[in-house]
Amino acid sequence: MPKDMNDIEERRSKTLILRKPRSTDGSEIWELVRACKPLDENSMYCNLVQAEHFSDTCVVAEMNGQIVGWISGHMIPNEDALFVWQVAVSPKARGLGLGKKMLEHLIGRDACAEATQLNTTITKDNEASWALFRSFARDLGGELSDKAHYKKELHFDGHHATEHMVTITLPEEVEADAKSAA
């Protein structure tokens, strides 16, 4: 078997665990995000607070005891919408569909049961994120739309590319499944 095939088989054989993050995961999450360009690096403190205060709407993926995936998110106040802030997948876990698995896991949680839509922001040049969320919406049977939201000059003083608000309408079956699992 070619070396590349061995690597793929080895990665697939590793056990993935999807779980809520703990505050003690903060530094490992921070290191993962730093290794996943072009994600914005937040402070380690930010990741620690996200892991502790928003654990119900964040996901950590572990493979052999090491954090290889992370989604930070929160329910938008006064809306039935889950906002996904960042999705990070370690190079060690790429090619396993982990980003989509974490999104599916997240929308199935009790804390997200009231969500009728998922929102995230993506810059136009982040092809990996566009591919993930388009694939997720398609597999879910949800509608995906986007529009410029946080604008380069207006919001970022010219220092960051415009972020497009991506909205995925969650099908009623997904909402019903989440509510019946509660």
Side-chain angles (χ1 to χ4, degrees), residues 77-99:
N78 304 314
E79 293 184 32
D80 293 333
L82 171 65
F83 183 81
V84 171
W85 184 352
Q86 286 186 318
V87 177
V89 176
S90 168
K92 298 173 188 176
R94 293 198 180 140
L96 302 174
L98 183 55

Side-chain angles (χ1 to χ4, degrees), residues 31-77:
E31 289 292 348
L32 172 64
V33 171
R34 291 183 67 214
C36 294
K37 304 296 180 206
L39 291 179
D40 288 334
E41 294 177 24
N42 301 301
S43 69
M44 187 184 299
Y45 184 76
C46 174
N47 293 130
L48 186 153
V49 169
Q50 288 173 316
E52 183 174 38
H53 294 189
F54 299 98
S55 64
D56 288 341
T57 55
C58 293
V59 178
V60 162
E62 279 187 354
M63 189 165 38
N64 297 334
Q66 182 179 15
I67 293 176
V68 295
W70 162 249
I71 291 181
S72 57
H74 62 271
M75 291 296 292
I76 299 174

Side-chain angles (χ1 to χ4, degrees), residues 100-169:
K100 201 182 314 184
K101 287 176 186 173
M102 290 189 298
L103 287 170
E104 291 166 352
H105 176 84
L106 185 58
I107 65 168
R109 289 218 188 129
D110 290 347
C112 303
E114 299 301 316
T116 60
Q117 64 186 37
L118 182 146
N119 295 108
T120 193
T121 60
I122 309 173
T123 57
K124 277 295 185 191
D125 65 346
N126 189 336
E127 294 175 18
S129 287
W130 284 105
L132 170 63
F133 284 97
R134 284 182 178 130
S135 175
F136 175 71
R138 184 175 48 253
D139 289 356
L140 192 65
E143 297 284 326
L144 183 144
S145 62
D146 77 277
K147 65 179 179 177
H149 187 72
Y150 294 123
K151 299 178 181 170
K152 181 176 182 172
E153 296 303 325
L154 181 63
H155 297 99
F156 295 116
D157 198 24
H159 297 286
H160 187 287
T162 295
E163 294 272 355
H164 288 254
M165 180 64 73
V166 173
T167 301
I168 299 172
T169 304

